[in-house]
Amino acid sequence: MDGEELRVRRELFDIPEGVIYLDGNSLGAPPKHVAERVQEVVKHQWGTRLIRSWSEGWWEAPQRIGDRIGRLVGAAPGQVVVGDSTSVNVFKALMGAVKGTGRTEIVVDESTFPTDGYIAQSVASLTGLKIRPARPSSLDLTEDTAVVLLNHVDYRTGELLDMAEHTERAHAVGAQVVWDLCHSAGVLPIELDALNVDYAIGCTYKFLNGGPGSPAFIYVPHAKQATFENPLSGWNGHREPFGMQPSYEPDPGIVRARVGTPDILSMLALDAALDVWDDVDLAELRQRGLQLTALFREHVQKLTDLEVVTPEQRGNQISVRCPDAKNVMDELVNRGVIGDHRPPDVLRFGFAPLYVTDEDAVKAAEVLADVIR
Amino acid sequence: MDGEELRVRRELFDIPEGVIYLDGNSLGAPPKHVAERVQEVVKHQWGTRLIRSWSEGWWEAPQRIGDRIGRLVGAAPGQVVVGDSTSVNVFKALMGAVKGTGRTEIVVDESTFPTDGYIAQSVASLTGLKIRPARPSSLDLTEDTAVVLLNHVDYRTGELLDMAEHTERAHAVGAQVVWDLCHSAGVLPIELDALNVDYAIGCTYKFLNGGPGSPAFIYVPHAKQATFENPLSGWNGHREPFGMQPSYEPDPGIVRARVGTPDILSMLALDAALDVWDDVDLAELRQRGLQLTALFREHVQKLTDLEVVTPEQRGNQISVRCPDAKNVMDELVNRGVIGDHRPPDVLRFGFAPLYVTDEDAVKAAEVLADVIR
């Protein structure tokens, strides 16, 4: 991506004057055209067409938008559906994965984003399996392992796991793997189909810029769909949702991963936001992310004594250990550098390559150095 | 409500020219000010304040908006929370209700809206209880009954159940009751606290006008909160959500019914839509609903031979049995009278008293008579 391309991309976004926004790993910034699209949805689709809009595109939106995300995570059409929160989709994926395996344990990355672990606890308690927390570097999967739940990029450190290697290791002992793509979707090329991933889930409001709390997604590959049992067997996943049948018969395809009526306003804001990805080359974007994070890291290391905790194998995030992290971040925000912090002592800086510039990365390191001086 | 009051209320809504909208029981019409509010959320709260908005009102929105709905269903503050779909909330309520009862059956209204029954099947299968479908007029609850799931207003016939009587009968045998308020919230006075209801859930996109797929709500009364176990133990329900603790410890109050990150755009559209309820007297509104449905029924019976299937004890809906219901409704919609149909042979007409007029009710019956002539 040359300078002109980068400038054009950034122009697609609304970044407030005077703000260096390094929290796109928590809430992506809105592409400019989203506001107008949402207005059209409220005024025309809801206001004028009213109930008729359900048969004019709303009903199929979860699959259609799922396919758009599928393109960004290496999934052929018909295997990704959008809806519900990430937590709810972790529940669906884990319940689907353990069903009928006859195995006894669920392995969870011990440093996982908490909700994944909390939901895994519920799944274990409902199914009688036990949870075994483990470090990704020593998972020790065995023939007792039904499924392992892994984060592609660690939310705290920004570490990137090797998806091919971990998936292969799980499969070698007959275990399945659920990948949480919250911090990697939209950041780097992902090849779910090619790697024979069993299930994946992810959120859309971070690097995909879908808007606050925009619906999450779940990937259930074609090979698993016939046997995937959605524990949340809502009417949207029924083979014939308007047949009003007394018994639940799941749709044969990815639609069975749907549950209830989709939140159309949030979902169509996401749909609009995905337009900016239409002609993005994720391999190029990945290079750009590595440049930005390297540049910021270099300047932090040059200007401060703070420890960078993000390893070389990383997503688009640099995490820095810093005493008094909360107050330091508050002051950074006061000075227009918006990142966030995670207890006890981690400052996080996310680099969304569609709208963060080299100047932002350098300036942010300088302001950080000044704040802790 | 006098004529002037009614005119003023209707003026709050955007109803397209030439349309008689009798499908507010499926998707309520947008209050006019919602579009502008949503624009403010996208442009200012998301676009300008970015991540900071989470601590400027977004995080607490599910409880705050829950309390607004609580006022409409007879629940004191701190007992209703908004989020997820109706199906997901049925799952939470039923799983919460059966936990630890030692009882063996879940009773479900046999003519329930299908998703309630489908979810109940999942709950039964996960917990080892059995499902017994029964007619509301002969539920035959016993000391084996853990919980009965009832619709306050039947989606197909519009029949209104007596909440006091059914709740008392359940309690008399030590069973719990989950009320589905999808078709009654915003239509008539509901007294959840006064009747000692165990759990209630409902959607917000019908008579509450929250917008397509706006988040549903769940009521867990104070007395149940300490023991209510949310099977979807996501981080939003944690006692200390940003503590990033490895173990799930639920919030002591209604917050434990939350799961994942709320869909803010849909949720704040609902928040805006609720403004029109601020000074509505539900007892008066109930009278108005009875007038409108009586007027429509009278004209249908005068002008056609069609059977009105809605009994005298009713919500704000009149259902009419009609051969070839789908084609008849298509033609009604062509002529600007928007209702809907449910298989095999039911035409449904919903009367949202905030924006449907006497003239609408009479004209709709006349057009129906003309279409089937």
Side-chain angles (χ1 to χ4, degrees):
Chain A
M1 288 180 141
D2 62 21
E4 176 57 15
E5 270 182 313
L6 293 172
R7 202 191 54 71
V8 168
R9 291 259 181 245
R10 183 179 164 92
E11 273 301 301
L12 298 175
F13 288 84
D14 250 338
I15 310 289
E17 197 73 35
V19 163
I20 294 177
Y21 193 58
L22 304 182
D23 213 8
N25 53 319
S26 187
L27 174 67
K32 283 177 183 162
H33 69 289
V34 170
E36 196 180 328
R37 187 83 66 84
V38 171
Q39 201 67 354
E40 200 272 337
V41 172
V42 174
K43 287 198 160 178
H44 177 71
Q45 296 183 25
W46 177 16
T48 304
R49 299 302 297 163
L50 290 157
I51 192 72
R52 292 167 288 192
S53 283
W54 278 113
S55 51
E56 293 169 355
W58 286 356
W59 188 264
E60 297 78 11
Q63 294 95 273
R64 183 177 57 75
I65 301 170
D67 283 344
R68 297 189 77 181
I69 290 173
R71 200 184 69 78
L72 302 175
V73 295
Q79 302 178 106
V80 176
V81 77
V82 174
D84 304 309
S85 64
T86 303
S87 299
V88 168
N89 282 296
V90 170
F91 185 75
K92 295 178 203 169
L94 285 179
M95 289 293 288
V98 304
K99 181 85 184 182
T101 59
R103 294 184 170 208
T104 56
E105 69 168 18
I106 299 170
V107 176
V108 179
D109 176 353
E110 68 176 24
S111 61
T112 187
F113 184 76
T115 213
D116 294 40
Y118 302 160
I119 293 286
Q121 283 172 23
S122 276
V123 170
S125 138
L126 287 170
T127 57
L129 275 73
K130 64 178 197 301
I131 293 281
R132 182 165 60 79
R135 301 176 69 91
S137 54
S138 55
L139 291 172
D140 298 327
L141 306 182
T142 73
E143 295 192 351
D144 293 330
T145 312
V147 62
V148 54
L149 172 60
L150 292 170
N151 299 279
H152 196 194
V153 171
D154 185 275
Y155 81 101
R156 204 183 313 234
T157 65
E159 179 179 6
L160 171 70
L161 293 190
D162 185 325
M163 187 180 282
E165 181 192 319
H166 282 287
T167 302
E168 208 170 290
R169 280 200 197 161
H171 290 175
V173 294
Q176 297 168 90
V177 61
V178 175
W179 282 102
D180 178 333
L181 309 179
C182 284
H183 289 265
S184 63
V187 158
L188 67 167
I190 297 175
E191 295 295 345
L192 296 178
D193 284 351
L195 298 180
N196 287 311
V197 166
D198 300 289
Y199 297 92
I201 55 89
C203 92
T204 63
Y205 50 76
K206 299 179 188 291
F207 290 111
L208 295 176
N209 313 308
S214 57
F217 64 89
I218 182 169
Y219 163 80
V220 183
H222 286 307
K224 297 255 173 204
Q225 288 173 4
T227 54
F228 170 66
E229 284 188 26
N230 186 345
L232 298 166
S233 48
W235 71 300
N236 274 229
H238 197 280
R239 170 189 290 270
E240 202 194 341
F242 289 94
M244 305 286 150
Q245 303 295 333
S247 268
Y248 182 74
E249 283 178 49
D251 179 272
I254 188 65
V255 168
R256 65 173 58 195
R258 289 178 60 169
V259 184
T261 304
D263 48 345
I264 290 296
L265 303 191
S266 290
M267 192 169 282
L268 295 187
L270 164 63
D271 189 31
L274 289 172
D275 289 355
V276 303
W277 296 92
D278 277 348
D279 55 353
V280 166
D281 177 328
L282 280 163
E284 273 185 38
L285 204 67
R286 170 64 173 156
Q287 289 314 308
R288 180 72 193 130
L290 289 172
Q291 284 165 14
L292 282 165
T293 46
L295 187 64
F296 177 73
R297 182 179 60 187
E298 175 197 328
H299 280 76
V300 168
Q301 288 172 332
K302 194 170 71 184
L303 301 173
T304 79
D305 292 329
L306 297 175
E307 177 198 357
V308 171
V309 298
T310 304
E312 184 57 25
Q313 291 298 320
R314 64 189 186 274
N316 280 26
Q317 172 187 333
I318 293 292
S319 298
V320 176
R321 198 176 308 284
C322 179
D324 204 18
K326 181 183 181 313
N327 289 327
V328 169
M329 184 49 71
D330 286 350
E331 183 54 24
L332 281 167
V333 171
N334 283 341
R335 300 195 192 185
V337 177
I338 303 182
D340 61 22
H341 68 98
R342 286 293 176 260
D345 60 357
V346 170
L347 298 174
R348 301 194 309 173
F349 301 91
F351 293 82
L354 294 179
Y355 54 78
V356 175
T357 65
D358 286 353
E359 295 69 36
D360 287 342
V362 173
K363 184 77 193 297
E366 290 171 354
V367 176
L368 172 62
D370 201 51
V371 166
I372 61 162
R373 181 161 301 147
Chain B
M1 289 179 139
D2 62 20
E4 176 58 15
E5 271 182 312
L6 293 172
R7 203 191 53 72
V8 168
R9 290 258 181 246
R10 183 179 165 92
E11 273 302 300
L12 298 175
F13 288 84
D14 250 338
I15 310 289
E17 197 72 35
V19 163
I20 295 177
Y21 193 58
L22 304 182
D23 213 7
N25 53 318
S26 187
L27 174 67
K32 282 177 183 162
H33 69 289
V34 170
E36 196 180 327
R37 187 84 65 83
V38 171
Q39 200 66 355
E40 199 273 337
V41 172
V42 173
K43 288 198 160 178
H44 177 70
Q45 297 183 26
W46 177 16
T48 304
R49 299 302 297 163
L50 290 157
I51 192 73
R52 293 167 288 193
S53 283
W54 279 114
S55 50
E56 293 169 354
W58 286 356
W59 187 265
E60 297 79 12
Q63 294 96 273
R64 183 177 57 75
I65 301 170
D67 283 344
R68 297 189 77 180
I69 290 172
R71 199 185 70 78
L72 301 175
V73 295
Q79 303 178 107
V80 176
V81 77
V82 174
D84 304 309
S85 65
T86 303
S87 299
V88 168
N89 282 296
V90 171
F91 185 75
K92 295 178 202 168
L94 285 179
M95 289 293 287
V98 304
K99 181 85 184 182
T101 59
R103 294 184 170 209
T104 55
E105 69 169 18
I106 299 170
V107 176
V108 179
D109 176 353
E110 68 176 25
S111 61
T112 187
F113 184 76
T115 213
D116 294 40
Y118 303 159
I119 293 286
Q121 284 173 22
S122 276
V123 170
S125 137
L126 286 170
T127 57
L129 275 73
K130 64 178 196 301
I131 293 281
R132 181 165 60 80
R135 302 176 69 90
S137 54
S138 54
L139 291 172
D140 298 327
L141 306 181
T142 73
E143 295 193 350
D144 293 331
T145 312
V147 62
V148 53
L149 172 60
L150 293 170
N151 300 279
H152 196 194
V153 171
D154 185 275
Y155 81 101
R156 204 184 312 234
T157 65
E159 179 179 6
L160 171 70
L161 293 190
D162 185 325
M163 188 180 282
E165 180 191 319
H166 282 287
T167 302
E168 208 170 290
R169 279 200 197 162
H171 290 175
V173 294
Q176 297 168 90
V177 60
V178 175
W179 282 102
D180 179 333
L181 309 179
C182 284
H183 288 266
S184 64
V187 158
L188 67 166
I190 297 175
E191 295 295 344
L192 296 179
D193 283 352
L195 299 180
N196 287 312
V197 165
D198 300 289
Y199 296 91
I201 55 89
C203 93
T204 63
Y205 50 76
K206 299 180 189 290
F207 290 110
L208 295 176
N209 313 309
S214 57
F217 64 89
I218 182 168
Y219 163 80
V220 183
H222 286 307
K224 297 256 173 204
Q225 288 173 5
T227 55
F228 170 66
E229 284 188 26
N230 186 345
L232 298 166
S233 48
W235 71 300
N236 275 229
H238 197 280
R239 170 189 291 271
E240 203 195 341
F242 289 94
M244 306 286 150
Q245 303 295 333
S247 268
Y248 182 74
E249 283 178 50
D251 179 272
I254 188 65
V255 168
R256 66 173 58 195
R258 288 177 60 169
V259 184
T261 304
D263 48 345
I264 290 296
L265 303 191
S266 290
M267 192 169 282
L268 295 187
L270 164 63
D271 190 31
L274 290 173
D275 289 355
V276 303
W277 296 92
D278 277 348
D279 55 353
V280 167
D281 177 329
L282 279 163
E284 274 185 37
L285 204 67
R286 170 63 173 156
Q287 289 313 309
R288 180 72 194 131
L290 289 172
Q291 284 166 14
L292 282 165
T293 46
L295 188 64
F296 178 72
R297 182 180 59 187
E298 175 197 328
H299 280 76
V300 168
Q301 288 172 331
K302 193 170 72 185
L303 301 173
T304 79
D305 293 328
L306 297 175
E307 177 198 357
V308 171
V309 297
T310 304
E312 184 58 25
Q313 290 299 319
R314 64 189 186 273
N316 280 25
Q317 173 186 332
I318 293 293
S319 298
V320 175
R321 197 176 309 284
C322 179
D324 204 19
K326 182 183 181 312
N327 288 328
V328 169
M329 184 49 71
D330 285 349
E331 183 55 24
L332 282 167
V333 172
N334 282 341
R335 300 194 192 186
V337 177
I338 303 182
D340 61 22
H341 69 97
R342 286 294 176 258
D345 59 357
V346 171
L347 299 174
R348 301 194 310 173
F349 302 92
F351 294 82
L354 294 179
Y355 55 77
V356 176
T357 65
D358 286 353
E359 295 68 36
D360 288 342
V362 173
K363 184 77 194 296
E366 290 171 355
V367 176
L368 172 62
D370 201 51
V371 166
I372 61 162
R373 181 162 300 146

